[in-house]
Amino acid sequence: MFDVATTLAQLSTEEKVRLLCGKDAWHLHGIERLGIPAITLTDGPHGVRLSESQALDNSALPATVFPVEAAMAASWNPELLEQVAAAIGEECQSMDVGILLGPGVNGKRTPLGGRNFEYFSEDPFLSGAMASAFVRGIQSRGVGACLKHFAGNEQETRRFLINADIDERTLQELYIEPFAKVLRENPPWTMMGAYNAVNGEHACQSADLLQRILRNQLGYDGLVMSDWVAVKDKAASHINGLDLEMPGPGERDAQLHDALTDGRLGEAELDRRVARVLTLIKQVLDQNRTVTVEWPAHHELATQLAVESMVLLKNDSNQLPLSPGKRLVVIGDFARNPRFQGGGSSHMTPHQLSTPLDAIGQRAEVVFADGYTETRVTPEQLEAAIRAATEADQVVLLTGTTDSMESEGFDRADMKLAPDHLMLISAIADANPNLTLVLHTGSAIETRQFEHQVPAILQAWLPGEGGGEALARILFGETSPSGKLSETFPVRLEHNPTFETFPGTKDTVEYREGIFTGYRFYDTKALPVQYPFGHGLSYSQFTLADLNYHSKQRQVSFSITNQGPAEGAEVVQLYIHDEASTYQRPVHELKAFRKIRLVPGEKRTITLPLDEHAFAYFVPHLGRFAEESGRFELRLGFSSRDIRLTTWVTLESDTDVRLLPTLDDTVKDWLSDSRTAPILQQELDRLQFTDAHPMFGIALGFPIPQLIQFIPHMGYGEQDARDVLDALQQQWHQIKTPD
Ligand code: BGC
């Protein structure tokens, strides 16, 4: 195999510049005269989407379609996701794909985000953990991941033009952190810059994102490519840190030659970027292997992940599992034409598609009514569905979003199901109250319109090609549901903290809700939610006991018992509440979790490690995450609103995150801070200026310079004022820079 340094030395400037742009939509340039072939990259992230026509279209070759990322995260099972990603890696190898464009780890500020289905979670820890497992899995098969879209790409509206205005702490704590966690644990071979701008700079040419944060702070040394046609100013992109423009062929090589000529881009800088491209090509070629794909095994893996991702939102009077031998009616076109994936660049061609109707039909006799076509219900469809429901003992109705409601390229108009679907649900529930509703959506929807009429709701997401079989296994109780919400289902859209700011004005969206998104907002505000983050029912019941914190090992231990009738898996979640912090924090944050499978009666003791960020938050003026001394409550439970056990932990930290009051801050600021209070108090005591003085209350609001000016007017001398100033200045400098 070729050597990067030797090859680099053999390249002309022209060849180097050419390498910094793709050859076409899905390939990098090779170097023919040196025998280096063109490598292939393709979407991602729910399986391999290799276009037959080599164009940007929907002509993908068949491959296993796995559940969408939102569903992957709802499995809360990183070990299973790692296996899934390894399977995707094998399929990539079999199709000669070197890089898969995924996973995406953008955030979910609002349930309306058009690509929410393609992202993991509203929580950066869960997103980071799942993405990390994904990257580990795919790269274990010698195929590179591409972690995307870096960063601030939380909406589709005007995604090429919008500037995301995000304060530093929010950016770091919520939107950079999922990337950072993956980079700490399993660095991906490549990353993808976003379309949008962040704080005034386009992501693919932002020195702040690409250099300050990605290279310097996070220490990333892999290749950064642009999103497809995201590069605006080619020279600025490469100068500021981008390695590869996609797709190609680029027409703008001249811009880079100009930048080299006038010295804006140095030769060494150019070489660094070319070396990254060559390193990637070499990595792909080195790892290239012949693989025979076990398609049935991959289909089963897709089915298993779908099973583990489905969330039983409610199950009044044990509506589920379905009772055998009763008259069963299935309603909804999605049973026949499954809604198994979302629209846009993640759209694939399934290798083997399992439909709900077939899978249910293999287990019971079924009467079927289609109920709707896309978002529309005709009078005939309504009548047939009602008639069928009336004659049934139990009804399963499949509903959800369509590609016209939820896709890459645009954001959702609202959080509701289509009006005709809502009407159908109501009519069917009236006809037969033994109703189970199956929701095929890629993100949270409002359920309040039908909550009072529907006893059982299963959130089945966009479950991939095994979705039909997975659904049947859950409906018939062959397996207990174990998915947990990876995002909150608020009661109504208006409750979402971005309601007033999303999708922004023409050019800018302000992340004014700051760090308070998802459950961080709803739980801090104690606002009612429809279904909380982390929620999901089972056919069994679990109990927790013996919660302990082991400070030396920095881990918690607890025991869990399956006290119900069925085998099942439960997701135990650990949230941390900071009793008091210098800067405001959410009431609690997810910091660890584990999915545990138990047979009835089984009890296990579990330990959960806490990582270096468990107690910390981002402190902008320190430029890093920091822990503060104090008391923290560890909250262990089954959702952010279902905490079963708690314990307090006291932490000693060397870091003082407080900003030292300056010589321009107020008397009150100085007296409220334990570092400056003694200095000022000593001077006030010397002057005998106490709260008995008529000016004392007013003086508390004086900045120090105004206090000094006022001292002679409050019955003291000019010299007193000078002495106070000298003392404050001298001692303040000593605390600021102790020798
Ligand atoms: C999407 C990326 C995708 C790329 C290539 C873009 O429109 O934002 O996620 O990888 O297209 O299809």
Side-chain angles (χ1 to χ4, degrees):
M1 196 48 62
F2 70 91
D3 173 72
V4 170
T6 320
T7 307
L8 187 63
Q10 289 172 289
L11 298 181
S12 67
T13 306
E14 214 123 273
E15 285 173 316
K16 288 179 187 173
V17 167
R18 187 167 337 120
L19 276 175
L20 298 193
C21 187
K23 176 176 158 221
D24 55 34
W26 308 117
H27 295 94
L28 301 199
H29 279 291
I31 311 163
E32 226 172 281
R33 71 176 177 92
L34 299 178
I36 299 176
I39 62 162
T40 306
L41 27 77
T42 197
D43 286 304
H46 310 128
V48 194
R49 178 190 198 252
L50 184 62
S51 165
E52 206 170 4
S53 68
Q54 301 297 333
L56 287 154
D57 59 17
N58 269 351
S59 71
L61 293 165
T64 309
V65 182
F66 291 93
V68 297
E69 277 193 24
M72 289 175 173
S75 77
W76 294 64
N77 190 342
E79 290 79 21
L80 180 58
L81 185 58
E82 187 177 339
Q83 289 176 41
V84 161
I88 295 175
E90 285 164 14
E91 293 185 26
C92 282
Q93 286 285 9
S94 78
M95 298 186 209
D96 225 3
V97 169
I99 305 291
L100 187 92
L101 303 173
V105 284
N106 294 94
K108 303 191 188 195
R109 289 182 67 222
T110 162
L112 301 185
R115 288 182 94 171
N116 278 11
F117 74 91
E118 240 187 287
Y119 302 136
F120 290 112
S121 171
E122 71 186 24
D123 180 84
F125 182 82
L126 180 57
S127 289
M130 298 311 281
S132 188
F134 191 111
V135 172
R136 187 165 56 239
I138 191 162
Q139 295 192 166
S140 74
R141 295 301 187 267
V143 172
C146 179
L147 197 60
K148 64 190 188 183
H149 310 86
F150 192 74
N153 187 182
E154 273 72 48
Q155 68 183 54
E156 294 299 280
T157 307
R158 296 179 67 76
R159 63 174 165 162
F160 292 93
L161 302 169
I162 199 86
N163 173 38
D165 188 342
I166 319 176
D167 70 82
E168 179 69 7
R169 179 174 172 202
T170 301
L171 178 66
Q172 295 275 359
E173 226 166 86
L174 292 189
Y175 302 107
I176 298 291
E177 181 54 18
F179 292 95
K181 187 168 167 61
V182 181
L183 264 47
R184 287 195 295 275
E185 296 173 2
N186 292 291
W189 293 5
T190 71
M191 290 187 56
M192 187 190 288
Y195 284 130
N196 52 282
V198 175
N199 296 332
E201 279 293 346
H202 271 280
C204 286
Q205 62 187 56
S206 162
D208 194 53
L209 284 180
L210 300 180
Q211 284 175 30
R212 177 179 73 91
I213 297 181
L214 188 58
R215 300 289 185 207
N216 301 342
Q217 179 194 323
L218 305 180
Y220 183 63
D221 197 33
L223 175 138
V224 184
M225 70 181 81
S226 70
D227 199 344
W228 269 228
V229 300
V231 169
K232 304 225 163 222
D233 177 335
K234 185 169 172 68
S237 280
H238 290 298
I239 290 167
N240 290 330
L242 191 84
D243 300 309
L244 176 68
E245 177 189 358
M246 285 303 293
E251 312 260 303
R252 291 182 287 184
D253 286 1
Q255 289 182 16
L256 222 50
H257 286 290
D258 288 349
L260 284 164
T261 311
D262 64 27
R264 279 176 296 145
L265 181 66
E267 195 69 33
E269 230 1 63
L270 175 72
D271 282 359
R272 237 198 309 277
R273 312 227 175 292
V274 177
R276 284 213 191 89
V277 175
L278 290 173
T279 304
L280 181 67
I281 296 174
K282 182 174 155 55
Q283 231 168 345
V284 168
L285 297 177
D286 277 352
Q287 301 275 347
N288 195 3
R289 44 188 100 142
T290 311
V291 167
T292 313
V293 173
E294 302 290 338
W295 295 103
H298 288 192
H299 181 75
E300 175 55 25
L301 209 48
T303 307
Q304 268 179 34
L305 184 59
V307 164
E308 292 222 8
S309 73
M310 291 186 184
V311 182
L312 185 57
L313 294 176
K314 74 188 281 192
N315 193 22
D316 291 354
S317 51
N318 291 333
Q319 191 70 27
L320 289 180
L322 297 172
S323 311
K326 299 242 177 113
R327 282 173 304 171
L328 174 65
V329 165
V330 171
I331 298 172
D333 186 51
F334 289 165
R336 203 174 42 184
N337 294 308
R339 170 84 175 130
F340 66 101
Q341 63 176 340
S345 61
S346 67
H347 192 277
M348 298 173 56
T349 304
H351 196 267
Q352 174 194 343
L353 185 59
S354 138
T355 74
L357 200 53
D358 283 349
I360 294 170
Q362 282 159 17
R363 290 162 168 89
E365 223 163 273
V366 182
V367 173
F368 172 69
D370 65 359
Y372 54 82
T373 310
E374 296 273 304
T375 56
R376 291 288 186 204
V377 178
T378 64
E380 297 72 35
Q381 285 172 315
L382 181 64
E383 202 197 308
I386 293 175
R387 200 176 333 112
T390 312
E391 287 162 11
D393 295 319
Q394 39 197 1
V395 180
V396 174
L397 169 55
L398 287 81
T399 177
T401 53
T402 60
D403 269 358
S404 64
M405 296 161 76
E406 190 177 17
S407 165
E408 178 181 342
F410 57 89
D411 293 310
R412 282 157 77 199
D414 57 37
M415 261 182 80
K416 297 183 179 65
L417 292 175
D420 279 14
H421 279 234
L422 289 173
M423 181 269 293
L424 178 69
I425 294 168
S426 178
I428 299 302
D430 277 349
N432 193 328
N434 292 323
L435 174 61
T436 297
L437 198 65
V438 176
L439 297 175
H440 281 300
T441 71
S443 52
I445 58 153
E446 285 181 8
T447 62
R448 67 194 161 92
Q449 297 87 353
F450 45 82
E451 276 292 335
H452 58 290
Q453 281 184 295
V454 180
I457 306 178
L458 183 70
Q459 173 63 27
W461 308 105
L462 310 178
E465 65 172 50
E469 170 66 18
L471 178 63
R473 287 184 197 171
I474 288 178
L475 291 178
F476 289 94
E478 291 162 25
T479 179
S480 186
S482 62
K484 302 278 172 174
L485 289 183
S486 42
E487 59 200 76
T488 309
F489 276 41
V491 175
R492 54 193 308 145
L493 179 64
E494 290 85 339
H495 288 182
N496 182 266
T498 70
F499 185 70
E500 290 87 5
T501 54
F502 170 85
T505 56
K506 191 164 172 258
D507 294 326
T508 297
V509 54
E510 294 176 59
Y511 286 34
R512 253 185 265 159
E513 72 289 354
I515 53 169
F516 296 95
T517 58
Y519 74 85
R520 284 169 164 70
F521 172 75
Y522 303 116
D523 290 0
T524 304
K525 292 273 282 189
L527 204 63
V529 294
Q530 198 72 59
Y531 294 106
F533 177 79
H535 167 78
L537 303 175
S538 163
Y539 296 153
S540 207
Q541 292 99 40
F542 301 85
T543 54
L544 297 174
D546 314 318
L547 172 62
N548 283 301
Y549 177 67
H550 311 275
S551 55
K552 256 218 197 95
Q553 298 89 340
R554 225 180 139 90
Q555 63 189 25
V556 294
S557 63
F558 61 89
S559 65
I560 176 166
T561 309
N562 181 348
Q563 293 198 317
E567 179 181 339
E570 182 54 271
V571 177
V572 183
Q573 305 155 37
L574 182 78
Y575 297 85
I576 294 190
H577 161 74
D578 192 344
E579 184 183 44
S581 53
T582 301
Y583 302 100
Q584 213 184 2
R585 297 188 71 172
V587 65
H588 53 207
E589 294 161 47
L590 180 76
K591 295 297 179 179
F593 65 87
R594 178 76 54 79
K595 189 167 201 172
I596 305 143
R597 178 164 294 281
L598 299 167
V599 295
E602 188 181 352
K603 176 179 180 177
R604 276 175 59 191
T605 299
I606 305 289
T607 52
L608 279 184
L610 295 177
D611 73 13
E612 66 267 42
H613 285 188
F615 298 96
Y617 62 101
F618 193 87
V619 182
H621 68 89
L622 297 180
R624 62 178 172 87
F625 278 79
E627 276 176 2
E628 282 192 281
S629 297
R631 279 170 25 101
F632 296 81
E633 190 181 40
L634 308 187
R635 301 176 170 177
L636 195 73
F638 300 139
S639 86
S640 80
R641 297 273 173 111
D642 184 7
I643 301 298
R644 301 291 175 96
L645 296 174
T646 61
T647 186
W648 284 92
V649 168
T650 301
L651 214 77
E652 294 292 339
S653 164
D654 295 337
T655 310
D656 194 339
V657 309
R658 293 170 305 167
L659 268 173
L660 190 66
T662 70
L663 285 160
D664 289 326
D665 279 326
T666 66
V667 170
K668 190 168 177 205
D669 293 333
W670 275 62
L671 292 179
S672 314
D673 191 293
S674 57
R675 293 162 298 180
T676 46
I679 313 173
L680 181 57
Q681 195 59 56
Q682 192 182 6
E683 295 307 301
L684 300 183
D685 288 349
R686 202 166 48 72
L687 296 179
Q688 294 181 350
F689 185 63
T690 68
D691 56 5
H693 193 287
M695 288 297 288
F696 189 84
I698 293 172
L700 284 176
F702 288 166
I704 299 298
Q706 277 66 29
L707 175 75
I708 303 298
Q709 280 180 43
F710 254 84
I711 287 176
H713 303 288
M714 293 193 297
Y716 306 100
E718 299 269 349
Q719 188 55 43
D720 288 325
R722 279 194 291 275
D723 289 349
V724 171
L725 184 60
D726 284 350
L728 297 189
Q729 278 179 339
Q730 200 187 353
Q731 293 184 60
W732 183 83
H733 282 292
Q734 257 169 31
I735 325 176
K736 178 97 179 129
T737 39
D739 30 47

